[in-house]
Amino acid sequence: MIKRIAATLILDSNQIINAYNFEVHLPVGKLKYTLERLQEFEVDEINILNTSHSNSVVNDLDKLLEDINNWHVSTPLAYGGGISTLTDAVYVIKSGVERVIISANTFFDFDLFSDICRTLGDQAIILHLPIEFKGGSPSIRGYSNKLLSDVNALIPINWGGEIMLTIVESDGKKFPNWQNIGDALGIMAGHSNFILAGGFADFKDISAGLSLDQVSAISIGNYLHRVEHSIIEIKQKIKSSIQIRR
Amino acid sequence: MTMNQRIEQCVRCLYKTNHPFGLTLDKNGVCSGCLVHEEKDLLDWKMRLGMLKNLTDSYKLKQSKNYDCIVPVSGGQDSFFIVHTVIHELGLNPLLVNFNRNFNSAVGIKNLSQLRTIFPADFRQFTINPIISRKVIRTTLANLGTINWLWIAGQTSLPVRIADELKIPLIIWGAHQGIEQVGMYSHTDEVEMTSRYRKEHDLMGIDEKEIFKFDPDFNPNDISSLTYPSDDQIIKNGTRGIYLSNYLRWDPVQQHTFVKDKYGYIGRKTNRTYYDFDNPDCPVYNGLQDYLKFMRLGYAKVTDQLVRDIRHKRIDKESAKRIESEYLNKAPDSLKGFADWLGISVKNFGPLMLSLDSNFLEQLLSGDWRSEINELDKPNLNHIDSVYKFIDSDFKNFGKGI
């Protein structure tokens, strides 16, 4: 399988932010300038998570897409944030975004999640699961009663979408927590096509993550904002050992 | 920040969410700048200095025959502090690099001369053609509302170009303004120089490749000296720019006391700021440039100084607000020499300065300023006479520069 290196861009109040533990948001700048650079670095895909969505996905997305079109972005995009109806999800795809990122909140409305999968096709969907390891068993951030094992049981075994697994405790850090990643992937052993995120800031860790059978991509967040040529350098270093997109 | 978003002020300092760098507020209304500033009292700075030494030790005469690193200097107080740290604390042999802005205050010229004299380091300076300089500044004034774009473009590209030319991979900067002002990163991120930051924040979104769109008369060759090296060149050379403020507890007020006492650094008071040590090298930075900033953004250099003092607990917010209001509307000084040098009639500035008129720039550049300056730029005897006429009294400051 050809593996991918993705970028996660988190938007808060229309600005890109550095996120730490899903709690602290520090401003980086405008989406335009980072997209411009990511294009030049030939990142494989860009996952935009809009944390400051208004009540209207249509309005949020229209403005964003207008800008993206103006900036001539050709890198595949996925968009998430405020998607709470089938109409929202369909709108994202019809707008030209390749994939829609579904939050855990929408996933827990399982009928809705199933509808979205049926309508768009599994492969147009990324399910974003932020995992916390507070007090023993891993659970979904914001839903301490929703254990990862429960979520795992809900996802059909042959589901064709990808799961973005973010370890909350590693968010914004310089090292992933391999113990937590191992535990989470172990619980979800029946699934593959994971996008790992949280603490990937070194080519060795990214290489180790991509080497895992269940993992199809690593998504980099803060690291790409603070080290200019992170994507280029990572690709150069790992291309001899792992099959990645050129 | 879009038009329809509400502008909010931090509960602790004076910055608002429309800060041009971006600003976030936490659930308690505390801004990202104040939050990251708290790290200054929490981090183990002795340990971080050790990290810095480990990092810089690996560059000592390893990859360059002549210099361990490049240090960009303007002659401001931070230049003294950075050069002192690099030579006497880190034991490096730096090449000092300066981009001459073409207009420099007498104090700035003295300070830079002092810096060149007292530190055991080689010094390299670049001065752009003054006619091109005027042309670019008029363009950025008219289109971006700033006179500082050219100098920043030069000051941020020259060290990187020289790093590539001389194969010196390490550049050492002082403070990361994005961290100091709005808390763009944690100090522990150890963020490094990026061309994205340069373009977006230093150059207001327009770099040297795009500035031409504002003026059909522009020739790209005019400012080829501002060209930032390509990604390939930077990667090949291993060029990286680190910020001392990630490793040392950064406090410009303390640094000022230190460099004034130890190295005879001189400040320069202006009527729009209450400290004398910030940017005294530029005769109009705290004057016209600051006034333009106030008109574009609603705050000024005095706000930056007060925010810094609030965070360092040297002043409370209410007192800071009172001081800010005393300074914001003051008319800028040092205007005439600069207006004359730029080739814009000073009468165009005067009545407009305090009006906050939305057409300020249009009016500022109204009339026949373009033909006047074109006349001025002609390389003939009359031109030289006319230049001397207006710069004679302050020739060192406007025109020749340094």
Side-chain angles (χ1 to χ4, degrees), chain A residues 107 110 113 122 151-161 163 186-194 214:
Chain A
F107 173 78
F110 202 71
F113 178 70
D122 295 351
V151 172
N152 178 57
L154 285 171
I155 302 172
I157 203 72
N158 292 320
W159 187 61
I163 301 168
I187 289 169
M188 304 188 84
H191 298 284
S192 57
N193 292 346
F194 283 94
Q214 286 169 274

Side-chain angles (χ1 to χ4, degrees), chain A residues 11-83:
Chain A
L11 285 175
D12 181 351
S13 306
N14 290 328
Q15 58 192 331
I16 295 189
I17 50 120
N18 281 313
Y20 304 81
N21 296 327
F22 275 59
E23 284 180 3
V24 176
H25 287 183
L26 302 182
V28 171
K30 295 187 176 69
L31 183 62
K32 171 186 174 178
Y33 300 101
T34 297
L35 282 181
E36 194 174 87
R37 290 302 272 156
L38 289 176
Q39 286 262 101
E40 289 164 357
F41 297 158
E42 297 181 352
V43 65
D44 295 325
E45 64 201 33
I46 298 168
N47 302 316
I48 298 173
L49 290 169
N50 192 349
T51 65
S52 57
H53 46 84
S54 65
N55 292 327
S56 167
V57 169
V58 173
N59 287 348
D60 292 341
L61 201 60
D62 275 358
K63 177 74 184 78
L64 194 70
L65 287 174
E66 186 187 319
D67 289 342
I68 287 170
N69 286 333
N70 289 339
W71 305 329
H72 309 293
V73 178
S74 58
T75 307
L77 293 175
Y79 178 85
I83 293 160

Side-chain angles (χ1 to χ4, degrees), chain B residues 153-285:
Chain B
Q155 181 72 356
T156 51
S157 63
L158 180 67
V160 189
R161 279 209 323 280
I162 293 178
D164 185 56
E165 179 193 325
L166 300 182
K167 306 299 170 214
I168 308 167
L170 184 64
I171 301 171
I172 300 182
W173 301 91
H176 186 288
Q177 285 307 317
I179 296 177
E180 287 296 298
Q181 292 192 28
V182 302
M184 208 169 267
Y185 300 87
S186 163
H187 295 89
T188 60
D189 285 336
E190 288 116 29
V191 66
E192 300 193 358
M193 163 190 87
T194 69
S195 64
R196 190 221 20 108
Y197 180 93
R198 173 182 181 261
K199 178 178 177 178
E200 176 173 1
H201 298 301
D202 288 337
L203 301 181
M204 303 165 74
I206 306 290
D207 66 13
E208 62 280 359
K209 288 176 274 189
E210 295 168 328
I211 198 74
F212 303 102
K213 71 182 182 190
F214 293 130
D215 192 335
D217 294 340
F218 251 135
N219 177 347
N221 292 332
D222 285 351
I223 54 170
S224 59
S225 58
L226 302 179
T227 305
Y228 197 84
S230 69
D231 290 327
D232 284 348
Q233 286 172 291
I234 288 172
I235 291 170
K236 193 175 170 193
N237 190 45
T239 308
R240 63 191 293 202
I242 62 168
Y243 296 92
L244 289 183
S245 59
N246 286 325
Y247 303 94
L248 305 169
R249 190 183 188 281
W250 204 258
D251 180 357
V253 175
Q254 277 189 359
Q255 289 170 11
H256 172 237
T257 305
F258 174 75
V259 299
K260 187 178 65 173
D261 294 347
K262 190 169 179 67
Y263 295 116
Y265 173 80
I266 313 164
R268 176 177 168 272
K269 185 80 176 72
T270 62
N271 66 344
R272 289 186 53 79
T273 55
Y274 73 103
Y275 277 123
D276 71 351
F277 62 80
D278 281 320
N279 314 94
D281 42 307
C282 174
V284 286
Y285 188 86

Side-chain angles (χ1 to χ4, degrees), chain B residues 359-376:
Chain B
N359 294 322
F360 172 77
L361 290 169
E362 193 182 309
Q363 293 179 56
L364 182 68
L365 299 175
S366 66
D368 53 356
W369 68 272
R370 191 184 285 272
S371 58
E372 277 172 21
I373 195 70
N374 286 343
E375 201 58 37
L376 187 70

Side-chain angles (χ1 to χ4, degrees), chain A residues 222-233:
Chain A
N222 294 10
Y223 182 46
L224 65 90
H225 302 309
R226 63 178 184 249
V227 179
E228 175 120 68
H229 300 107
S230 47
I231 301 274
I232 296 176
E233 290 177 338

Side-chain angles (χ1 to χ4, degrees), chain B residues 55 91 97 115 146 154 158 171 229 278 331-332 342:
Chain B
L55 190 161
V97 170
L115 184 136
T146 179
L158 180 67
I171 301 171
D278 281 320
L342 197 58

